[in-house]
Amino acid sequence: MNVLLSAAFVLCWSSGFIGAKLGAGSASAVTILMWRFLPLTVVLIAVAVTVTRASWRGLAARDVARQAVIGALSQSGYLLTVYYAIQLGVSTGTTALIDGVQPLVAGALAGPLLHQYVSRRQWMGLGLGAAGVAVVTLADAAAAGGVAPWAYAVPFAGMLSLVAATFLEGRSRTRVAPSVSLTVHCATSTVVFTALAVGTGSAVPPAEASFWVAIAWLVALSTFGGYGLYWLILRRSGVTAVNTLMFLMAPVTAVWGALMFGEPFGPRTALGLALGLAAVVVVRRGERGGERGGERGGERRVERHAERPSGGGREGPCGAVSGGPVRSGRATGRRPLPAGPRPDRPRAAPPS
């Protein structure tokens, strides 16, 4: 995974927590989210009608509906819980820390659902990341006051929503253009948040300039930057890699929150940041080691395939040649041995 791409993703994704804090002082969560997505969706639809019409050709209604469900989970469900938790008084760092449990959930489910099995080294890295999350969460929770205990369960529900969207996208067999996916996701969120805002009487935006600054911040950095890079890295590197980077969100957000809002940042937060960095390094090394092992395994399979006798016999169970003609894979219906490792990631196309 490109280092600059990963760093940009961490910063842009963390900016969403900061943007939610910026707007929390002037409007409710549903008001911010409605006006974050409504103008953006209008622009995306206009682009879809004029510039990217070719990307929509050949898509079935089932494909669009699937992307709508993914958008409802990864945008609507996730963002509503994050914004609501911050509105309840949970700090930006703590909210990001609770979301940091996501890599463990995704790593545990990646094998049975996507056949992306996690190695021992990767589990070690995930464990380090979990330790970093625990260290910083305890520090932030101890410093916070006046927050109801149940409020900390709200971002946890959002984390589960994002995990569900990740696996639903990973199991998709239809390649959807990023522009199409982003348009469907944002349109779905616009419908959800507009309905909630109108239903609760919160649709009218405030006249304060800070509100529109927060909206611009969220559209530019969080939606196009964080959300788009999430699916891009998911496509290139798989579930375990992208979710390992999520361990860095909490410490980075904690530092950002301390600088902008004076939120507490102490030695335990610094220790959590170090553990998160160590987790990313360990998991990435585990992935590279697995790829090298797969390449060596593929080379050995090719060598064994080349050493098979080509005369009038076939190998027996112990390597001896028994009588009978050798038949090709086409004649016997058996597929030839592969020339290299099989891909271990789904072919799903990310929204952005």
Side-chain angles (χ1 to χ4, degrees), residues 3-286:
V3 175
L4 294 179
L5 190 65
S6 301
F9 166 63
V10 171
L11 289 175
C12 289
W13 191 275
S14 300
S15 72
F17 301 99
I18 304 302
K21 184 78 170 183
L22 286 173
S26 57
S28 65
V30 292
T31 305
I32 298 172
L33 290 168
M34 171 187 169
W35 288 101
R36 169 181 173 176
F37 285 101
L38 183 58
L40 178 61
T41 300
V42 173
V43 173
L44 289 175
I45 291 176
V47 172
V49 172
T50 58
V51 180
T52 62
R53 286 186 297 177
S55 300
W56 293 81
R57 295 172 185 169
L59 286 179
R62 179 181 59 184
D63 300 327
V64 177
R66 187 184 188 91
Q67 290 300 318
V69 174
I70 293 173
L73 290 171
S74 62
Q75 279 192 350
S76 306
Y78 174 75
L79 292 175
L80 183 60
T81 56
V82 168
Y83 282 50
Y84 186 50
I86 293 176
Q87 187 177 4
L88 291 172
V90 181
S91 69
T92 57
T94 303
T95 304
L97 287 163
I98 296 174
D99 287 335
V101 181
Q102 180 188 3
L104 292 176
V105 178
L109 296 177
L113 293 181
L114 297 182
H115 305 291
Q116 298 181 24
Y117 294 96
V118 181
S119 66
R120 291 182 180 179
R121 184 185 293 271
Q122 289 174 323
W123 275 118
M124 184 184 303
L126 294 175
L128 284 173
V133 168
V135 168
V136 188
T137 299
L138 293 174
D140 284 0
V147 180
W150 61 268
Y152 293 93
V154 175
F156 183 79
M159 178 272 299
L160 294 178
S161 181
L162 184 58
V163 169
T166 301
F167 283 106
L168 183 61
E169 173 69 20
R171 292 176 66 88
S172 176
R173 296 183 179 181
T174 303
R175 297 185 66 87
V176 179
S179 59
V180 173
S181 299
L182 185 60
T183 301
V184 174
H185 291 194
C186 291
T188 303
S189 296
T190 298
V191 172
V192 171
F193 294 134
T194 301
L196 289 175
V198 172
T200 57
S202 306
V204 179
E208 300 176 15
S210 59
F211 173 82
W212 297 109
V213 170
I215 295 299
W217 174 294
L218 291 168
V219 170
L221 293 178
S222 304
T223 302
F224 287 111
Y227 187 70
L229 288 173
Y230 177 87
W231 294 107
L232 178 61
I233 296 175
L234 175 66
R235 177 182 181 181
R236 291 186 175 185
S237 303
V239 173
T240 303
V242 70
N243 283 294
T244 302
L245 291 174
M246 299 297 287
F247 281 132
L248 298 178
M249 303 302 173
V252 170
T253 304
V255 173
W256 207 335
L259 294 175
M260 289 191 66
F261 307 117
E263 294 178 346
F265 181 86
R268 284 187 289 180
T269 304
L271 176 60
L273 175 60
L275 290 174
L277 289 171
V280 174
V281 171
V282 170
V283 171
R284 290 305 301 157
R285 286 184 176 178

